[in-house]
Amino acid sequence: MGVQVHGGMGYVEETGAAQLLRDARIAPIYEGTNGIQALDLAGRKLQRDSGAALSALINEVHQTAEALRGEPSLAALGKALAAGADDLSAAMVSVLEQGSDPENGPDAVQAYATPFLNLAGHVLCAWQMGQAALKATKAIGDGSDEPFYTAKLCSANFAITQWLPVGRAQRAIIESGMQCLSDFDPAS
């Protein structure tokens, strides 16, 4: 979006937007491609403890959501974050269940690895922004008028209301099942 705002070649280079775009594009391959990371998350890390570690992390997300709901100005963010955490939990259960199917298990894990990683990434980033919103609200309540805190609240609001729903849509992909993938004839 920043490249769109800053426009053509000369304008983009002056603002640094192009460098941010290049950095964002290279990030997915620093530690292996996103697909490899997704397979590792869904196929190894999630399976090794049947989701216990992720469940504990989701509980922390719910705690932050509850804290957000306790702040009147942040209650809507808390509700949205809790819904995202519920989606991640349900998707985790679905991936675990489908992954344990003796016939299609490995295929199911591979089919849902990337949507699962995307969902987890959106929810966990929104969680961090929710924590930032709580800290910013406390700082403003304590009398700080730093523009940084106001900007942090705006960023959290954007991340949770505009960006989190994109990740939440991944749950529908996972829950749709893999029948449409199983219907393909390898000979075709």
Side-chain angles (χ1 to χ4, degrees):
M1 288 190 316
V3 170
Q4 294 297 321
V5 168
H6 294 291
M9 179 60 176
Y11 303 108
V12 171
E13 293 304 326
E14 290 173 6
T15 63
Q19 182 64 50
L20 294 173
L21 177 62
R22 287 190 295 272
D23 291 348
R25 295 302 305 148
I26 195 69
I29 62 171
Y30 281 144
E31 297 294 329
T33 64
N34 284 1
I36 298 299
Q37 294 297 321
L39 289 169
D40 183 53
L41 174 64
R44 189 171 64 89
K45 291 180 178 149
L46 189 63
Q47 306 295 325
R48 74 176 168 205
D49 65 356
S50 299
L54 184 57
S55 292
L57 191 58
I58 293 170
N59 287 337
E60 291 184 41
V61 175
H62 274 294
Q63 290 170 4
T64 299
E66 283 302 312
L68 287 165
R69 285 190 227 177
E71 290 287 334
S73 64
L74 302 175
L77 299 182
K79 181 179 177 184
L81 182 59
D86 290 341
D87 286 343
L88 181 55
S89 183
M92 176 187 69
V93 169
S94 185
V95 169
L96 286 168
E97 286 175 355
Q98 292 182 46
S100 66
D101 177 3
E103 185 176 327
N104 293 320
D107 290 339
V109 169
Q110 290 179 39
Y112 300 126
T114 296
F116 186 71
L117 177 68
N118 287 333
L119 173 57
H122 280 76
V123 170
L124 297 176
C125 287
W127 167 50
Q128 293 299 297
M129 293 306 296
Q131 289 184 332
L134 289 168
K135 290 178 182 175
T137 299
K138 180 175 181 343
I140 291 170
D142 290 344
S144 176
D145 62 352
E146 294 260 346
F148 171 80
Y149 295 119
T150 303
K152 193 55 74 175
L153 286 173
C154 289
S155 296
N157 187 41
F158 175 82
I160 294 173
T161 62
Q162 300 291 314
W163 194 67
L164 176 60
V166 173
R168 291 187 60 203
Q170 304 302 304
R171 177 181 177 183
I173 295 168
I174 294 167
E175 290 182 343
S176 69
M178 61 175 282
Q179 186 60 44
C180 62
L181 297 172
S182 299
D183 288 345
F184 279 102
D185 180 3
S188 342

